[in-house]
Structures are given as C-alpha cells and as structure tokens.
Amino acid sequence: MSIPAEVLRFEAAIEVSGPFAPTGRIAYQWLPGGEFAVTTHVGPYSTVPDAYERIFSRVVSSQAISLPHRKLIGLPAVEIYRTAKINVAYSLNQTDICLPVATS
C-alpha cells in the first residue's frame, strides 16, 4: 500500500504541564486517556504499514476472545518510537503501535 506524499503528515509530541498559547508551527492538543491495544513492531520504518495490516487482521479474528467487552476503535493511532536515534536505514527500530479501544 502506497500513500501519496502530499497526504502524509508527522506530528511529534511532548508532555507539557498544561495548555498554552501556541505560536508559529507549534500547537497544543489534548489527547484523552483511555485503553489502548499495544504491540511493538521491530524492524525498519518502511514495514510499519504492514504491521498495521497484521495487527488489524489479528485483532478482528480474535476480538471475541482477547477483547470480550471491548471494541477496537483504531484511530487516532499513536506510535511511540523507542529507538534513541530515528534512522530510516536502521533495521531494528522499535515502534510501539497503540490503537484505542472502547469498552462496550
């Protein structure tokens, strides 16, 4: 699956003590807490989209067993990059993929 470059976006985040008046290309956004289905992808960043496909198909096929009273929402997905230096050529990057889950 190929995504056109003009629709790609990247947002980096840090935790701040509270709301503030953003300036320039800096913004403030509040992300609500909640439950997430989390898995760790180890490999090059180019294979992260494939990891999403595997995650969704695995969750859908086992959702009744592994998440009996929960429903995978899927968005907004949060990726946490565990590698100290982001390098697209590095083949052992560790990325936590966090997908929100709703309680039914």
Side-chain angles (χ1 to χ4, degrees), residues 58-70:
R58 193 170 52 221
V59 168
V60 167
S61 67
S62 67
Q63 193 159 11
I65 297 167
S66 61
L67 302 170
H69 299 289
R70 291 168 179 78

Side-chain angles (χ1 to χ4, degrees), residues 8-9 11 18 23 29 33 39 41 56 58-59 62 66 68 70-71 75-78 85 87 90 92 99 102:
L8 291 176
R9 73 175 207 200
E11 295 177 8
T23 60
Q29 182 179 11
T39 191
H41 170 267
F56 278 108
R58 193 170 52 221
V59 168
S62 67
S66 61
R70 291 168 179 78
K71 179 180 177 186
L75 294 174
V78 175
K85 181 178 181 181
N87 183 342
Y90 189 48
L92 293 176
L99 303 171

Side-chain angles (χ1 to χ4, degrees), residues 10 45 81-90 93:
F10 175 84
Y45 294 123
Y81 302 101
R82 298 289 183 185
T83 308
K85 181 178 181 181
I86 295 177
N87 183 342
V88 296
Y90 189 48
N93 293 303

